[in-house]
């Protein structure tokens, strides 16, 4: 019954110490860290560390040696300094919802869990910003803003549990990024503890800050530039009005043409999501929403803005849908109907969990106009490998999430899933896209980096990383392939991830 | 041992499966969890501690690791599992449909049984033997026990005792029970076995009276029955009905729980009633689970399994039932502001969330203010506030703050456990709010009366 198909990564980084339980340095380290965070702020017994051996990515596992729960920036800084003194690796973790192993403590070390730093330090509606601690749950910020007329725009589908700190680390997106942009467009500044323990402030609440846009550089570092301890985030006015509709198409080709034409018209929907034939059937089997089972694709279209502009935008969208052979359009005019439509989209993944014992979601990006090609390729791949693949994705961004259904107890199928995933991602690259839209590189996609970027690009990135994190003591072996290590440390997947919703 | 290498932890195949808690749980139920973590922020204990071990995902991981023999059931592991409120908030948040309750509940039953075999069962301590098992399931016994409390409250001796700190001489658990004790209303006379519908009869229902609620909140039961009658329901109240058995089941005494279930099976005539109405969320969740539980308890005959499944399908929460029936709009004005607290065992375990709100919206003059974190547990969770006092208090304070932030005059709760907990927190902070059951407000409105609080 033990899941022995997973493997433990053990990439060696000789500059850092390996902690041995019971050894003198280990006891001393525990003693010093306890002095910083107190007895209730530290875990070091194996049975309580186990749950920290993986995050939302469960293919590879590696438990930390110590977990600490700091409550202030100063505690984070002091912890980091101690780690440097003892020469042990460390990394940050928020809610642990990363889908690419961003919170995987390779080689053990100290894990700094920020879930006890979750206060709103300042809400400034007139200047439209909030200062929050990194462990704040994304949705909790939006909940705290309810009734003020403002919200925090980035809304990854995991927003109910993921943290602002994690969003900054991965530059998270979400269904509404098509119009509102990703996390980096909403971070005005931040405070961080650098990998040597120094506390720095980057950017600030005002619109223009002189000097380099370092907070822009910082967002999306996947935890490799230190630990963000405060974020100044932009607050966005709630739209005065919105219109949500569901357009049913006979074929994927019609649906994607409609998408391109809507955007070419200059309309920027706040969300534009697509579900294909397979997923419509899955959702329908599980929830009985009343979707036509023979439809080729369904588009969830939402526009928002000023009330006076809405009807004109909607009629233009309807016109373009009609031009592309839309079969029917369901309007969601009441808040309840809108909730129901969004529920069908956000719970789509849950529905699959009920259909198939295991599934693996990929996260590819292609230019929007190439959507029909990639979807056709996915269909061919599905037929070639005899695997059921369904699609639900952020169509407006060209960010596809093909979901490969399989049974993880069947080794043969696992191999097919890995091969099929690889082919699909290769095709994304070939079409001028990328292998990750929003999940990050982490450890999962690290081998793709050298296929996306040439050596010069990678060397530049490494130089930037080394300015922040020269000894790679912080979140080691993430994002960039270990330098000069060739194939010796290559992580080979033996087992596809079972994946979470987006 | 280094935890990082734990995936190659040797499995001790010689171990008797009986000694591994959870080993009888179908393994697919663990596999349903895809480890996405979307449940974490829905979990009250994780919100408080921020520790993954205290999150639903973490607890499933721990239970699975115990079953896989990757970790021992150490005191630390047990502590994290014991801290679970079993509020099932995670089930509402889970997109993959993980049945968390069907993991933690049988797992805990196994732990209790293991303890019993080793002679260190909590079932054997004075609190479980005398209070939980011999007092709580029997309304008449609770009522007897409450006689001195009523006398003391009438004579205000209770306040004197508190002032003199005499109550601090009580054992901790009894002191906490004393703190929870509400201002008691006079006990109502027993309900008759049949009560007629008012106006045209629209349904025939049975009423489940409960034990703690019938002893301490008999007026809520009377209000519930009157509301049912006002909505054209003939109400039958079988005398032979028993406790739902939740306290027993959740503390590992599953055979005792089964006996109660079988008593209820015999008490309710299913053929000539439309539903069995429950007005306590905790009991309702247990009763609706009779079918599942029968599958998990050893030695239940196939016939009983089938019958318990049928019985389980008849139970309806009163708000759920009235909403489906189509409520007759009440006319009496209640000019107050109120906020509705979602009892875990209604919103998460029974998925009853909108129905009580829709019913309350029918009451003229009642201003319903949304409650922040309304679906986060108040810390009552059955006997949890007696067994995990620290976390119960933390969650109680959290709930109190959210309630006071609304500025409402009435807190509405559909579960006796929440009512006791919230009422006690309000009294401790000297707040004059009234904690009411939805049926109490509807009853007042149907009868054209104003609340007195």
């Amino acid at each position: 019954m033990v899941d022995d198909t997973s493997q433990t990564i053990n990439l060696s980084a000789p500059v850092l110490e390996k902690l041995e339980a019971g050894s003198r340095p280990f006891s001393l380290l525990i003693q010093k860290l306890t002095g910083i965070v107190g007895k209730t702020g530290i875990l070091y017994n194996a049975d309580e560390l186990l749950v920290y051996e993986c995050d939302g990515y469960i293919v590879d596992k590696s438990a930390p040696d110590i977990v600490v729960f700091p409550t202030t920036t100063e505690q984070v800084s002091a912890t980091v300094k101690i780690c440097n003194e003892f020469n042990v690796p460390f990394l940050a973790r928020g809610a642990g919802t990363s889908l690419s192993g961003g919170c995987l403590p390779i080689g053990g070390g100290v894990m700094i869990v920020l879930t006890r730093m979750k206060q709103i330090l300042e809400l400034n509606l007139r200047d439209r910003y909030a200062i929050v601690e990194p462990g704040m749950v994304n949705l909790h910020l939006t909940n705290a803003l309810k009734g003020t007329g403002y919200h925090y725009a980035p809304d990854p589908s995991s927003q109910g549990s993921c943290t602002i700190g994690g969003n900054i680390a991965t530059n998270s997106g979400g269904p509404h990024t098509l119009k509102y942009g990703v996390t980096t467009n909403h971070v005005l500044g931040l405070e961080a503890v650098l990998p040597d323990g120094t506390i720095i402030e980057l950017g600030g609440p005002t619109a223009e800050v002189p000097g380099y846009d370092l907070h822009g550089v910082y967002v999306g570092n996947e935890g490799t530039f230190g630990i963000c301890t405060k974020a100044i985030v932009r607050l966005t006015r709630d739209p005065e009005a919105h219109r949500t509709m569901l357009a049913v198409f006979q074929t994927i080709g019609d649906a994607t043409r409609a998408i391109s034409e809507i955007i070419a018209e200059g309309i920027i929907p706040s969300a534009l999501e697509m579900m294909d034939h397979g997923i419509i059937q899955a959702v329908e089997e599980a929830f009985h929403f009343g979707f036509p089972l023979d439809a080729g694709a369904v588009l969830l279209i939402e526009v928002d803005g000023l009330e006076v502009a809405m009807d004109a935008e909607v009629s233009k969208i309807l016109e373009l849908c009609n031009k592309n052979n839309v079969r029917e359009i369901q309007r969601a005019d009441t808040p309840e109907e809108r909730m129901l439509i969004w529920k069908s989209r956000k719970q789509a993944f849950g529905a699959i969990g009920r259909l198939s014992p295991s599934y693996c979601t990929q996260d590819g990006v292609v230019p929007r106009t190439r959507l029909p090609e990639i979807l056709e390729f996915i269909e061919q791949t599905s037929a070639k490998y005899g695997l059921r693949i369904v699609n639900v994705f952020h169509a407006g961004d060209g960010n596809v999430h093909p979901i490969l259904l399989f049974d993880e107890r069947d080794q043969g199928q696992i191999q097919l899933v890995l091969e099929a995933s690889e082919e699909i991602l290769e095709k994304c690259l070939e079409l001028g896209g990328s292998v990750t839209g929003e999940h990050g590189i982490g450890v999962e996609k690290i081998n793709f980096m050298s296929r996306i970027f040439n050596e010069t690009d990678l060397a530049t990135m490494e130089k930037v990383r080394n300015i922040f994190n020269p000894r790679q003591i912080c979140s080691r072996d993430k994002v960039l392939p270990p330098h000069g290590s060739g194939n010796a440390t290559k992580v080979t997947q033996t087992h596809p991830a079972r994946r979470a919703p987006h | 041992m280094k935890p990082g290498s734990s995936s190659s932890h040797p499995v001790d195949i010689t171990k008797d499966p009986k000694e591994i808690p959870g080993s009888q749980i179908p393994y697919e139920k663990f596999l349903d969890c895809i480890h996405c973590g979307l449940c974490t922020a829905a979990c009250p204990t994780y919100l408080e501690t921020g520790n993954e071990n205290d999150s639903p995902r973490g607890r499933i991981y721990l239970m699975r690791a115990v079953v896989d023999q990757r970790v021992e059931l150490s005191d630390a592991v047990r502590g994290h599992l014991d801290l679970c409120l079993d509020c099932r908030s995670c089930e509402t948040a889970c997109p993959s449909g993980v049945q968390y309750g069907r993991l933690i509940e049988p797992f805990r039953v196994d732990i209790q049984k293991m303890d019993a075999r080793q002679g260190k069962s909590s079932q054997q301590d004075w609190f479980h033997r005398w209070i939980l098992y011999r007092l709580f399931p029997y309304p008449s016994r609770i009522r007897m026990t409450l006689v001195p409390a009523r006398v003391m409250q009438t004579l205000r001796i209770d306040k004197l005792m508190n002032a003199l700190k005499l109550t601090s001489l009580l054992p901790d658990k009894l002191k906490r029970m004393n703190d929870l004790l509400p201002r008691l209303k006079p006990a109502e006379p027993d309900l008759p076995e049949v009560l007629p519908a008012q106006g045209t009869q629209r349904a025939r229902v049975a009423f489940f009276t409960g034990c703690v609620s019938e002893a301490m909140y008999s007026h809520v039961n009377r209000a519930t029955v009157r509301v049912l009658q006002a909505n054209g329901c003939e109400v039958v109240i079988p005398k032979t009905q028993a406790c739902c058995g939740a306290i027993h089941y959740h503390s590992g005494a599953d055979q005792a729980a089964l006996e109660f279930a079988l008593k209820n099976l015999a008490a309710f005539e299913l053929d000539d009633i439309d539903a069995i109405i429950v007005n306590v969320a905790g009991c309702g969740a247990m009763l609706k689970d009779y079918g599942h539980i029968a599958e998990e308890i050893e030695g239940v005959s196939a016939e009983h399994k089938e019958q318990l499944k049928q019985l389980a399908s008849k139970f309806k929460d009163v708000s759920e039932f009235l909403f489906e029936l189509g409520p007759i709009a009440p006319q009496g004005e209640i000019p107050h502001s109120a906020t509705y607290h979602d009892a875990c065992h209604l919103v998460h375990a029974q998925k009853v969330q909108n129905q009580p709100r829709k019913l309350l919206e029918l009451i003229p003059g009642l201003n319903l203010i949304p409650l922040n974190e309304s679906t986060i547990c108040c810390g009552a969770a059955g006997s949890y506030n007696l067994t995990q006092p620290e976390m119960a208090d933390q969650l109680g304070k959290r709930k109190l703050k959210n309630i006071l932030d609304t500025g409402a005059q009435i807190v509405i709760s559909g579960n006796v456990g929440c009512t006791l907990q919230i009422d006690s927190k309000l009294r401790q902070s000297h707040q004059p709010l009234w904690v009411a059951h939805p049926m109490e407000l509807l009853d007042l409105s149907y009868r054209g009366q104003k609340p007195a609080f």
Side-chain angles (χ1 to χ4, degrees):
Chain A
M1 265 193 280
V2 178
D3 181 9
D4 58 5
T5 47
S6 61
Q7 55 168 338
T8 302
I9 290 188
N10 197 0
L11 300 175
S12 57
V15 287
L16 302 174
E17 295 292 333
K18 200 127 182 82
L19 287 168
E20 289 299 335
S23 67
R24 207 179 131 60
F26 189 53
S27 310
L28 202 60
L29 179 59
I30 288 169
Q31 199 184 334
K32 290 216 169 187
L33 291 174
T34 307
I36 296 165
V37 292
K39 278 198 170 123
T40 55
I42 186 165
L43 304 175
Y44 47 81
N45 290 326
D47 51 4
E48 288 183 288
L49 297 171
L50 191 71
V51 297
Y52 289 102
E53 70 178 5
C54 60
D55 48 28
Y57 171 76
I58 57 172
V59 179
D60 303 301
K61 289 167 186 160
S62 171
D65 297 293
I66 298 173
V67 168
V68 291
F69 300 93
T71 53
T72 63
T73 304
E74 289 66 34
Q75 287 184 1
V76 175
S77 167
T79 301
V80 167
K81 283 179 181 161
I82 296 287
C83 290
N84 275 277
E85 192 187 315
F86 280 76
N87 204 25
V88 293
F90 62 88
L91 88 170
R93 172 169 160 136
T97 54
S98 168
L99 293 166
S100 58
C103 313
L104 189 73
I106 296 173
V110 176
M111 182 180 268
I112 300 172
V113 176
L114 297 155
T115 48
R116 292 185 189 170
M117 290 177 70
K118 54 180 179 182
Q119 304 298 317
I120 297 178
L121 302 172
E122 187 187 344
L123 264 189
N124 189 325
L125 296 176
R126 299 191 66 167
D127 288 329
R128 295 193 189 180
Y129 69 83
I131 304 183
V132 300
E133 292 186 320
M136 172 126 216
V137 170
N138 177 304
L139 189 65
H140 291 183
L141 176 56
T142 292
N143 284 346
L145 288 164
K146 246 180 209 161
T148 64
Y150 292 87
H151 68 287
Y152 177 64
D155 63 336
S157 293
S158 56
Q159 72 176 142
S161 61
C162 64
T163 63
I164 298 286
N167 294 168
I168 288 174
T170 54
N171 193 15
S172 301
H176 288 89
T177 55
L178 176 60
K179 178 168 182 177
Y180 292 99
V182 290
T183 299
T184 192
N185 306 109
H186 298 270
V187 174
L188 299 166
L190 50 89
E191 176 194 83
V193 171
L194 292 180
D196 65 358
T198 325
I199 301 168
I200 53 157
E201 287 181 13
L202 303 172
T206 50
E208 294 295 334
V209 183
Y212 295 114
D213 175 14
L214 287 186
H215 65 280
V217 173
Y218 195 91
V219 174
N221 73 66
E222 297 196 30
T224 60
F225 292 180
I227 296 170
C228 170
T229 45
K230 263 177 212 161
I232 308 171
V233 296
R234 186 193 304 281
L235 302 181
T236 304
R237 270 292 279 277
D238 293 346
E240 187 184 282
H242 39 233
R243 298 283 188 278
T244 310
M245 62 212 104
L246 208 60
V248 181
F249 289 88
Q250 197 63 41
T251 66
I252 286 184
D254 286 341
T256 40
R257 267 188 300 279
I259 293 168
S260 290
E261 288 183 22
I262 288 167
I263 289 174
E265 189 64 29
I267 298 170
I268 303 187
S270 53
L272 195 43
E273 305 279 302
M274 189 196 276
M275 292 187 261
D276 79 353
H277 177 69
I279 199 116
I280 293 168
Q281 292 200 319
V283 169
E284 197 49 36
E285 274 177 51
F287 298 115
H288 313 291
F289 281 107
F291 291 147
L293 287 177
D294 56 340
V298 160
L299 281 187
L300 196 175
I301 311 170
E302 187 163 280
V303 287
D304 65 17
L306 295 174
E307 180 63 47
V308 289
M310 287 295 97
D311 290 334
E313 270 192 0
V314 168
S315 58
K316 192 76 210 171
I317 289 171
L318 296 185
E319 184 191 316
L320 294 171
C321 287
N322 278 326
K323 194 179 139 198
N324 288 292
N325 315 315
V326 72
R327 261 175 52 171
E328 63 175 288
I329 291 190
Q330 295 173 16
R331 298 276 295 266
D333 291 327
T334 65
E336 285 84 14
E337 286 169 346
R338 179 169 178 249
M339 288 272 288
L340 189 68
I341 285 196
W342 271 110
K343 190 179 168 195
S344 72
R345 163 63 182 91
K346 292 205 167 177
Q347 298 219 340
F349 279 76
I352 295 157
R354 297 162 201 241
L355 284 186
S356 164
S358 316
Y359 61 95
C360 166
T361 308
Q362 280 307 336
D363 177 34
V365 185
V366 293
R368 202 165 41 231
T369 49
R370 314 296 291 268
L371 275 176
E373 280 166 80
I374 190 70
L375 290 172
E376 197 177 313
F377 182 80
I378 291 170
E379 211 174 312
Q380 288 164 7
T381 311
S382 168
K384 176 174 159 193
Y385 287 95
L387 286 170
R388 189 169 173 195
I389 306 179
V390 297
N391 290 283
V392 51
F393 53 92
H394 312 307
D397 305 323
N399 185 185
V400 292
H401 291 313
I403 306 160
L404 297 86
L405 309 184
F406 66 102
D407 187 332
E408 68 180 324
R409 288 163 291 192
D410 179 344
Q411 274 300 325
Q413 277 194 38
I414 289 171
Q415 200 48 43
L416 294 180
V417 167
L418 286 171
E419 285 169 29
S421 299
E422 180 102 0
E423 271 190 36
I424 292 169
L425 292 177
E426 284 288 352
K427 185 73 180 179
C428 289
L429 292 178
E430 190 192 310
L431 293 172
S434 149
V435 294
T436 172
E438 53 187 10
H439 300 178
I441 295 296
V443 295
E444 184 204 14
K445 300 264 172 71
I446 206 160
N447 292 328
F448 273 100
M449 287 300 273
S450 53
R451 293 191 230 172
I452 309 169
F453 300 103
N454 64 30
E455 269 181 36
T456 323
D457 294 346
L458 284 175
T460 309
M461 285 191 210
E462 199 171 301
K463 278 181 194 161
V464 175
R465 199 258 328 268
N466 290 347
I467 290 168
F468 287 94
N469 187 13
R471 296 173 56 225
Q472 273 218 66
I473 192 168
C474 176
S475 206
R476 63 201 276 202
D477 299 325
K478 304 281 165 59
V479 188
L480 298 175
H483 183 65
S485 48
N487 288 329
T489 55
K490 188 178 167 189
V491 180
T492 314
Q493 282 190 14
T494 53
H495 188 260
R498 302 165 76 226
R499 274 317 166 46
H502 300 255
Chain B
M1 185 202 72
K2 178 139 172 36
S5 61
S6 51
S7 58
S8 56
H9 191 353
V11 175
D12 179 4
I13 46 162
T14 57
K15 209 162 176 179
D16 177 3
K18 280 217 153 179
E19 293 308 310
I20 308 164
S23 53
Q24 303 303 314
I25 298 172
Y27 201 71
E28 281 72 23
K29 285 200 166 35
F30 289 109
L31 289 180
D32 284 342
C33 174
I34 56 168
H35 214 255
C36 67
L38 294 198
C39 54
T40 52
C43 175
T45 57
Y46 177 80
L47 283 176
E48 286 294 320
T49 70
N51 184 340
E52 176 88 17
N53 288 290
D54 298 324
S55 75
R57 175 174 71 171
R59 291 190 179 109
I60 293 173
Y61 211 74
L62 285 177
M63 287 189 279
R64 186 175 166 188
V66 170
V67 170
D68 290 346
Q69 298 184 55
R70 291 184 65 198
V71 291
E72 289 287 327
L73 187 69
S74 62
D75 287 348
V77 171
R78 247 189 107 138
H80 294 298
L81 297 176
D82 284 344
L83 199 65
C84 171
L85 296 141
D86 195 15
C87 70
R88 321 249 294 258
S89 179
C90 47
E91 290 189 9
T92 303
C94 178
S96 293
V98 172
Q99 296 170 280
Y100 178 82
R102 305 268 49 84
L103 290 168
I104 191 88
E105 290 178 13
F107 198 91
R108 281 176 161 176
V109 170
D110 283 1
I111 294 180
Q112 300 281 353
K113 285 184 174 169
M114 260 174 55
D115 281 355
R117 281 195 295 275
Q118 291 164 13
K120 53 173 183 180
S121 168
S122 65
Q123 293 170 32
Q124 298 306 319
D125 69 18
W126 65 270
F127 177 70
H128 277 81
R129 276 190 311 175
W130 293 101
I131 309 286
L132 283 187
Y133 294 165
R134 302 215 179 150
L135 176 63
F136 272 2
Y138 307 101
S140 56
R141 293 187 198 169
I142 304 178
R143 218 177 290 153
M144 291 280 283
T145 318
L146 288 176
V147 169
R150 280 183 212 277
V151 173
M152 278 162 57
Q153 284 189 359
T154 317
L155 300 176
R156 305 208 172 247
I157 297 174
D158 59 324
K159 295 211 164 154
L160 181 70
M161 281 180 70
N162 277 333
L164 294 174
K165 303 212 184 305
L166 284 177
T167 48
S168 58
L169 297 175
L170 290 170
D172 270 357
K173 279 185 177 132
L174 285 187
K175 182 181 175 313
R176 290 188 67 81
M177 283 174 71
N178 180 59
D179 290 346
L180 281 174
L181 198 64
R183 300 296 304 170
L184 295 163
K185 295 203 173 180
E188 308 257 353
D190 280 352
L191 286 163
E193 283 196 65
V194 183
L195 284 160
Q198 267 172 37
T200 315
Q201 182 170 329
R202 300 162 70 204
R204 185 164 195 270
V205 298
F207 180 58
F208 181 83
T209 51
C211 31
V212 177
S213 63
E214 179 59 16
M216 290 194 197
Y217 292 97
S218 54
H219 55 284
V220 174
N221 279 352
R222 307 306 177 274
T224 304
V225 171
R226 281 194 295 269
V227 169
L228 288 166
Q229 288 177 284
N231 278 281
C233 300
E234 183 186 9
V235 186
V236 293
I237 304 141
K239 293 265 182 230
T240 50
Q241 60 176 296
C243 168
C244 64
I247 291 175
H248 302 77
Y249 180 70
H250 292 142
S251 59
D254 57 356
Q255 289 302 328
L258 179 65
E259 276 174 38
F260 282 117
L262 294 176
K263 263 190 197 168
N264 282 322
L265 183 64
F268 291 99
E269 280 292 332
L270 300 187
D271 289 343
D272 57 345
I273 50 168
D274 297 302
I276 309 170
I277 305 299
V278 189
N279 68 355
V280 177
C283 310
M286 173 72 184
L287 295 163
K288 286 182 177 180
D289 258 349
Y290 271 179
H292 294 125
I293 288 163
E295 293 289 333
E296 284 163 12
I297 298 178
E298 274 176 55
V300 186
S301 69
E303 192 190 354
H304 276 157
K305 276 184 192 170
E306 188 50 42
Q307 287 172 336
L308 284 172
K309 213 161 115 189
Q310 279 176 17
L311 175 66
S313 68
K314 279 281 181 182
F315 290 105
K316 293 261 185 212
D317 180 74
V318 61
S319 296
E320 181 185 19
F321 175 78
L322 284 174
F323 182 77
E324 280 170 21
L325 182 70
I328 294 169
Q331 301 300 322
E333 196 182 34
I334 298 186
H336 290 288
S337 58
T339 193
Y340 179 82
H341 156 76
D342 283 285
C344 303
H345 282 93
L346 263 187
V347 63
H348 303 306
Q350 301 183 50
K351 309 289 173 221
V352 174
Q353 183 167 24
N354 284 326
Q355 298 92 322
R357 289 180 169 84
K358 293 282 173 205
L359 295 177
L360 290 163
E361 281 169 10
L362 296 174
I363 299 176
L366 189 71
N367 174 24
L368 274 183
I369 305 168
L371 175 65
N372 190 30
E373 296 190 340
S374 72
T375 60
I376 295 295
C377 180
C378 63
S383 54
Y384 188 90
N385 54 16
L386 302 176
T387 55
Q388 295 282 345
E390 214 171 302
M391 182 55 75
D393 280 345
Q394 271 172 264
L395 291 170
K397 277 183 199 149
R398 191 182 181 109
K399 184 58 72 179
L400 183 69
K401 186 191 170 296
N402 283 320
I403 288 171
L404 296 180
D405 283 351
T406 64
Q409 300 159 294
I410 306 172
V411 188
I412 306 168
S413 142
N415 188 38
V416 62
C418 311
T419 302
L420 282 168
Q421 166 86 340
I422 294 171
D423 197 33
S424 134
K425 293 289 163 229
L426 286 168
R427 269 182 287 122
Q428 279 167 21
S429 59
H430 308 290
Q431 297 290 339
L433 282 79
W434 176 36
V435 190
H437 192 281
M439 293 306 123
E440 285 184 88
L441 289 171
L442 279 171
D443 177 47
L444 287 171
S445 181
Y446 280 120
R447 294 194 292 145
Q449 294 188 2
K450 298 275 183 284
F453 62 95

